[in-house]
Amino acid sequence: MKYQRKTLVGLLAIGMMSLPDTVLAVYNLSIGNGPDLINNTYLNANSLADSLVFSDISLQADNSISIVDPIDLSSTLVLGPTLYGLTLQSALVNIDNLIVMGPGNFSIKAPIVNLVATITDTSAVPLGGTRISGTATQVNVTSTNASIQQG
């Protein structure tokens, strides 16, 4: 068996295992559809989805995490559907574009969240119930494309 090694913002993926499920913190992190940056300030959504096939992922940034393109984290081109959840942890999280999740949970650990777009499942239904959680004390809903419900 040939092992492939890949770095994902501090995440080490070897073959069919991902170790560990937390990542190194950066100051600002953008997630979109462009290429990964070697300094870990920009993360490609397909690379992230590849890791969500095998493990829960926690992304951390000291200042902000921003979703800069519509992203689909529900499946990968090569590995198929994702199974695990994603946690975004920062002082500020900007959901500026659509996020499509697979069956895993989605968590935001940030005091401030700017919500411009929705976080949905593969059927375009906004995540709810036990699938989404957060610690925000301030949520700014700045678009008619986004909404929030207190559960």
Side-chain angles (χ1 to χ4, degrees):
M1 172 185 246
K2 182 178 178 183
Y3 288 99
Q4 179 181 6
R5 184 177 150 167
K6 171 176 139 179
T7 302
L8 169 68
V9 192
L11 174 73
L12 179 63
I14 302 174
M16 295 299 190
M17 298 184 311
S18 295
L19 303 169
D21 63 353
T22 58
V23 297
L24 300 175
V26 295
Y27 190 70
N28 291 311
L29 172 63
S30 296
I31 303 170
N33 297 317
D36 288 328
L37 293 181
I38 197 159
N39 66 1
N40 295 329
T41 60
Y42 188 95
L43 178 61
N44 176 271
N46 291 324
S47 296
L48 179 56
D50 286 344
S51 293
L52 289 172
V53 170
F54 303 110
S55 177
D56 287 323
I57 303 297
S58 177
L59 300 177
Q60 299 174 359
D62 293 336
N63 186 55
S64 70
I65 297 176
S66 298
I67 308 302
V68 298
D69 294 313
I71 59 174
D72 186 343
L73 302 177
S74 66
S75 66
T76 70
L77 294 174
V78 176
L79 301 173
T82 62
L83 302 173
Y84 292 92
L86 177 64
T87 298
L88 304 179
Q89 183 172 346
S90 187
L92 171 67
V93 172
N94 297 303
I95 308 294
D96 295 326
N97 290 281
L98 172 70
I99 301 172
V100 178
M101 289 293 296
N105 295 331
F106 187 84
S107 178
I108 299 174
K109 295 181 179 178
I112 301 171
V113 175
N114 291 322
L115 192 58
V116 177
T118 57
I119 304 161
T120 71
D121 63 17
T122 56
S123 301
V125 175
L127 291 189
T130 60
R131 295 219 33 225
I132 191 165
S133 63
T135 61
T137 54
Q138 177 181 336
V139 177
N140 303 310
V141 180
T142 59
S143 168
T144 57
N145 295 328
S147 66
I148 189 166
Q149 293 180 335
Q150 183 174 346

